[in-house]
């Protein structure tokens, strides 16, 4: 869906004629043709306001020359613009003198120094001296406007970039101008901090040091930083960013602008959620269990022990007795190594990177008519039937918000409770958790006609996923099937969480997938056998079956790679039992966690920005991730550990370095033909969507599946994830972990009253599978009959997957 | 609204009779609000073309206490001032005001006699605009308050010889060319409106400004600070806006007794 080529007009800038697209902003047209017009309030990704007046240029008008702001004026054919004459220069010097009049002389202690547009433009366009001898404005400085962001109102030049971002882009208008005239200030509303998931972007786009990160403040000067471009992996859209390091420590992440994914924006989880990498609790040496205790040992010792055990078990019981869970948090190279390791070394197809909370692997990895993120810009209708994008897919959230708000796209949101995009939705449909199939049938039968109509538009993009644990994995595919039937032309984006899950699936980390979007069947295996050798033919188990197998001792050996099933699967009882009964557990991970702390051998792994490789996002876009931080201690990348282990076990897999693995992937994985590190570093800087040729071996047509009805009960449990939780990476990120909601249960005010539950007081929530005490939240956004409990929170008991729930107030 | 209110009269008396009133280029009547140093301040409906002399000394009864006329603001606080030496016998029409470099504007006429300090009057008007500024654009938000502070310094005895020229250059960065109607660097004409009194100081009252500097203060009745021997620069009282938490003490407008509150703990 590409836009037609724009009509060109002629604009003369400083005496030189240029052809520029009609309707473009003068400031942008000039910039694209080599003329930089200084500016503060204008930002490429936001609507212009013409407030700072720095971009004044002289334009020939009907009544003679006039000063206009280049950012609020569109080019017109025949326009004559002067950006450097005496009038313009005097105006620029005047504006800078005005800005510097009340600006404090903080440069020596200001974070922004060295990367400061005010410094730079004062130097390039300023008067050189200020004639202001009065007393400057004073404010208490800085003030914390949230846990993450500090505000210095003395430095603020009132350009409104931050307030406009908060309102226009992120939909969280929590900061605003207060008062007027010379005492205008940016501030928050009383008792309402700037708790936006996107607050960190205001720090990046502030043109002075008014907004600073509590995490980064005073830690470095920009010229001390080494930086490397990479992709963020908390969000499966893989927003582009820059990792910035000084003295071998990652100090901050900064968004990198690009059209393909994130427009330069990052969620705060992405921006600040790197702190775990520098945690003291990172695993640094191999650990083996001796006499019940985990003991440090050498790589050779640890690897040999595992290799020996693999040999014994494989010779005795064959491949079906092994299980591999995880692999979603590494690079594609790591995932490929794990895929090859499972099939060649362990002789098994029991491998799954999803943790029992995701959609079917063929649908996720290889749906027909897969959408690009940019398709939301040109759609007629976007339908979201899945998780709240604001909590699980922040990059998509911002793109969809923009599409609905600025580009006139019609938004349909279907979800059990209120979502972050409700204010932009043309149609909001609520349903009881577990009642999704009934709702879909109703829509198909003609009820909710406005939804049918919206879905019958010419171009529909469907973002589908699991909205609630109660929904199960089949609903999303059925929705996709329905949309494909109704729409003129449909594009589907199946949603899944967990880092590089799409790269993992593309490398075959599912029981029914082989590398390159090939089904794990006879044909695919035969083809792959030419490079991998003998391939196991026994049908593989998914995560749930593997956990069952561990419990029943059908499976004797579990390899956990960056996975924490005890905390992370919807029904943790099974995982807990499985790991308690497992005969032999090997873990490759960054930390000890609830799943691997009883393991037999633990290998310390390299993490994000500590290794080089490729990753694949939810569009199928492959991007290069780069390394810049050293590994802690003796940690090694996954692929290196597996290659070493394979060799010692007697089944070498021949993976000598990251780039060689990338090359092997391009030769062996059909959908990845033509992908190389070189390509991603040079021609394809925005990544490359695979398959490059457009054709892939496995193309899964979404199928309408049958599902269960919702149980009828007064209260149904809705479990979903929040951006901040007690996941391992969040647990060790000190700025973000305190922001997790914790053990809370949201009740509609009517239900709260019936249960005798008071806001902030404890309630007991009981299901057939589990129970716990939670702090009650009275929430209008949660419909009556629904109890919303965020998943995997610090201090929260596990409730399992049973949907029927009882809530009682705890006497207090 | 004024335009619309003429309609019943035009319809009642007929267009030809209406045109006979007023001035050939500005027919009919118009409303003026006359205030300041006149014996009969009030709202008057008058034919276009009446002179300033007739307006002030005839219609509005002349200046009380036998004082001399010093300056006239013709059309509201934004309009550049007139002086009797030049404008007294000009006819009051839209075009004549514009040709003279000002505007009829809102028809709010303010008459100032020779007991009026021009610097203080200018500061009062500049302070109004600085306070009314919405704050969006840099030149007005920063510039008008800066101008107010310079004028206050001059009035209270901390003026410097260069301050009037500084004031003019700051004004030029708000209203390029110092013209009326203004050529703006701002979003709206409010910023340039604050410049109008400064033009009067430049064109007609430069000596009075310099005398404030030399004397070290104001000698007109009601001066807040008595002239003192020029000591070479006592810093102005802090215009302190120390903020605790989320509160702003702000700069409130004049209190009843003429004192300006310039923040917690600091009095003029």
């Amino acid at each position: 869906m590409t836009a037609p080529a724009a009509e060109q007009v002629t604009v003369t800038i400083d005496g030189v004629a240029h052809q520029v697209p009609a309707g473009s902003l003068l400031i942008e047209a000039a910039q694209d043709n080599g003329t930089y017009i200084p500016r503060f309030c204008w930002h490429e990704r936001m609507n212009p306001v013409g407030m700072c007046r720095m971009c004044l240029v002289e334009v020939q008008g009907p009544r003679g020359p006039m000063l206009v702001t280049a950012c609020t004026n569109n080019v017109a054919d025949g326009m004559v613009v002067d950006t450097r004459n005496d009038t313009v220069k005097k105006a620029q010097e005047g504006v800078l003198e005005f800005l510097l009049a009340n600006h404090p002389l903080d440069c020596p202690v200001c974070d922004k120094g060295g990367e400061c547009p005010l410094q730079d433009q004062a130097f390039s366009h300023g008067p050189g001296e200020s004639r202001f001898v009065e007393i400057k404005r004073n404010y208490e400085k800085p003030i914390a406007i949230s846990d993450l962001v500090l505000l210095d109102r003395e430095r603020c030049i009132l350009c409104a970039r931050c307030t406009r971002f908060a309102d226009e882009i992120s939909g969280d208008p929590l900061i605003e101008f207060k008062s007027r005239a010379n005492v205008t200030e940016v501030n928050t509303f009383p008792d309402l901090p700037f708790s936006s998931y996107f607050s960190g972007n205001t720090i990046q786009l502030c043109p002075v040091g008014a907004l600073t990160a509590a995490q980064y403040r005073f830690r470095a000067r920009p010229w001390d930083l080494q930086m490397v471009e990479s992709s963020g992996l908390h969000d499966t859209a893989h927003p582009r960013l820059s990792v910035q390091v000084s003295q071998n420590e990652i100090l901050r992440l900064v968004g990198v602008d690009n059209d393909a994914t994130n427009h330069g924006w990052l969620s705060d989880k992405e921006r600040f959620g790197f702190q775990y990498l520098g945690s003291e609790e990172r695993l640094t040496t191999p650990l083996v269990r001796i006499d019940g205790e985990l003991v440090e040992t050498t790589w050779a010792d640890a690897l040999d022990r595992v290799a020996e055990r693999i040999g014994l078990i494989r010779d005795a019981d064959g491949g079906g007795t092994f299980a591999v869970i995880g692999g979603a948090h590494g690079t594609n190279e790591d995932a490929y190594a794990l895929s090859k390791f499972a099939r060649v070394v362990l002789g098994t197809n029991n491998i799954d990177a999803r943790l029992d909370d995701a959609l079917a692997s063929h649908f996720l990895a290889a749906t027909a008519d897969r959408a690009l993120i940019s398709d939301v810009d040109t759609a007629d209708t976007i339908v979201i039937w899945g998780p709240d994008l604001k909590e699980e897919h922040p990059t998509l959230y911002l793109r969809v918000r923009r599409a609905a708000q600025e580009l006139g796209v019609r938004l349909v949101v279907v979800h059990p409770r209120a979502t972050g995009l409700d204010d932009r939705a043309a149609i909001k449909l609520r349903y009881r958790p577990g009642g999704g199939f009934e709702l879909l049938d109703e829509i198909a039968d003609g009820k909710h006609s406005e939804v049918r109509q919206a879905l019958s538009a010419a171009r529909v993009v469907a973002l589908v996923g699991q909205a609630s644990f109660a929904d199960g994995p089949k609903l999303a595919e059925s929705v996709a099937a329905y949309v494909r039937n109704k729409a003129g032309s449909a594009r589907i984006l199946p949603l899944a969480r967990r880092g590089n899950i799409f790269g993992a699936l593309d490398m075959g980390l599912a029981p029914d997938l082989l590398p390159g979007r090939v089904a794990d069947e006879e044909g695919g295996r035969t083809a792959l056998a030419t490079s991998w050798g003998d391939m196991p033919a026994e049908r593989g188990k998914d995560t749930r079956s593997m956990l069952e197998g561990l419990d029943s001792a059908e499976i004797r050996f579990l390899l956990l790679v960056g996975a924490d099933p005890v905390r992370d699967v919807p029904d943790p009882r099974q995982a807990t039992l499985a790991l308690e009964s497992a005969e032999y557990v090997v873990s490759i991970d960054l930390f000890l966690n609830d799943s691997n702390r009883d393991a037999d051998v633990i290998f310390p792994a390299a993490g994000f920005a500590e290794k080089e490789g490729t990753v694949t996002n939810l569009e199928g876009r492959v991007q290069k991730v780069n390394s810049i931080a050293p590994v802690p201690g003796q940690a090694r990348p996954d692929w290196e550990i597996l290659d070493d282990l394979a060799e010692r076990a007697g089944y070498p897999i021949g993976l000598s370095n990251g780039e060689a693995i990338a090359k092997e992937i391009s030769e062996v994985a059909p959908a990845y033909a033509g992908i190389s590190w070189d390509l991603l570093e040079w021609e394809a800087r925005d990544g490359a969507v695979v398959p490059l040729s457009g054709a892939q071996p496995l193309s899964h047509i979404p199928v309408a599946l049958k599902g269960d009805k919702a149980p009828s009960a007064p209260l149904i449990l809705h479990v979903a994830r929040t951006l901040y939780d007690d996941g391992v990476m969040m647990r060790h990120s000190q700025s973000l972990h305190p922001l997790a909601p914790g053990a809370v249960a949201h009740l509609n005010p009517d239900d709260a009253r019936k249960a005798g539950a008071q806001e902030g007081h404890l309630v007991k929530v009981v299901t057939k599978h589990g129970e716990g005490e939670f702090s009650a939240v009275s929430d209008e956004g949660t419909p009556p009959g629904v109890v919303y409990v965020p998943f995997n929170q610090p201090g929260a008991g596990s409730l399992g997957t049973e949907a029927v729930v009882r809530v009682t107030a705890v006497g207090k | 609204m004024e335009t619309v209110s003429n309609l019943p009269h035009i319809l009642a008396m007929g267009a030809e009779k209406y045109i006979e009133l007023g001035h050939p280029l500005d027919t009919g009547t118009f409303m003026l609000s006359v205030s300041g140093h006149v014996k009969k301040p009030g709202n008057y409906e008058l034919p276009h073309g009446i002179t300033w002399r007739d307006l002030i000394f005839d219609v509005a009864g002349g200046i009380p206490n036998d004082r001399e006329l010093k300056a006239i603001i013709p059309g509201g606080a934004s309009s550049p001032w007139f002086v009797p030496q030049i404008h007294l016998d000009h006819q009051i029409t839209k075009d004549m005001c514009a040709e003279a470099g000002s505007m009829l504007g809102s028809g709010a006429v303010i008459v100032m006699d020779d007991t009026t300090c021009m610097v203080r009057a200018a500061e009062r008007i500049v302070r109004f605009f600085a306070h009314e500024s919405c704050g969006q654009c840099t030149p007005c938000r920063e510039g008008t308050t800066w101008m107010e502070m310079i004028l206050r310094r001059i009035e209270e005895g901390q003026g410097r010889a260069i301050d009037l020229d500084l004031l003019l250059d700051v004004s030029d960065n708000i209203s390029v060319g110092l013209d009326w109607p203004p050529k703006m660097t701002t979003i709206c004409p409010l910023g340039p409106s604050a410049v109008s009194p400064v033009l009067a100081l430049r064109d007609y009252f430069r000596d009075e400004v310099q005398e404030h500097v030399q004397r070290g203060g104001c000698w007109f009745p009601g001066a807040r600070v008595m002239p003192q021997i020029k000591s070479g620069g006592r810093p102005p009282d802090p215009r302190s806006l120390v903020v605790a938490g989320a509160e702003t003490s702000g700069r409130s407008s004049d209190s009843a007794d003429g004192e300006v509150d310039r923040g917690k703990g600091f009095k003029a």
Side-chain angles (χ1 to χ4, degrees), chain B residues 9 23 25 54 61-63 77 81 92 98 137 149 175 182 184 194 205 232 244-245:
Chain B
H9 302 291
H23 187 279
L25 295 172
D54 287 340
I63 303 189
W81 302 356
I92 307 179
C137 76
M149 292 161 93
S175 174
M184 317 182 284
F205 303 108

Side-chain angles (χ1 to χ4, degrees), chain A residues 325-326 352-358 498 543 563-565 568-570 721:
Chain A
I325 296 180
D352 199 355
R354 304 161 303 160
L355 259 71
D356 197 29
D357 62 349
R498 217 168 269 115
T543 296
D564 185 10
D568 220 3
V569 296
R721 294 176 191 266

Side-chain angles (χ1 to χ4, degrees), chain B residues 12-90:
Chain B
M13 61 170 39
E16 272 133 30
K17 282 233 95 160
Y18 185 81
I19 293 172
E20 279 169 26
L21 295 169
H23 187 279
L25 295 172
D26 227 339
T27 58
T29 60
F30 69 121
M31 315 276 288
L32 283 181
S33 296
V34 186
S35 64
H37 295 139
V38 288
K39 289 186 184 155
K40 294 195 285 179
N43 293 316
Y44 296 97
E45 182 174 1
L46 300 158
H48 281 290
I50 186 176
T51 64
W52 291 103
R53 183 192 295 275
D54 287 340
L55 171 70
I56 292 168
F57 293 104
D58 186 4
V59 174
I63 303 189
N65 305 320
D66 289 323
R67 306 298 321 188
E68 298 288 316
L69 176 63
K70 189 168 178 184
I72 309 163
I73 304 182
S78 318
S79 59
W81 302 356
F82 286 161
V83 286
Q85 304 88 289
I86 299 172
H87 304 100
L88 196 54
D89 289 302
H90 281 205

Side-chain angles (χ1 to χ4, degrees), chain A residues 590-649:
Chain A
L590 275 61
F591 292 97
L592 285 177
N593 58 43
D594 293 283
S595 301
N596 71 4
R597 87 182 146 211
D598 292 327
D600 295 279
V601 179
I602 307 180
F603 295 115
F608 174 72
E610 294 167 359
K611 57 191 173 179
E612 199 180 352
T614 56
V615 292
T616 307
N617 77 353
L618 43 64
E619 309 167 276
R621 180 180 301 272
V622 186
Q623 291 176 293
K624 182 108 191 317
V625 292
N626 293 298
S627 95
I628 190 168
V631 291
Q634 299 174 47
R636 299 163 83 190
D638 296 3
W639 63 260
E640 205 181 288
I641 301 171
L642 293 165
D643 181 69
D644 207 339
L645 189 53
E647 182 136 357
R648 288 166 198 257

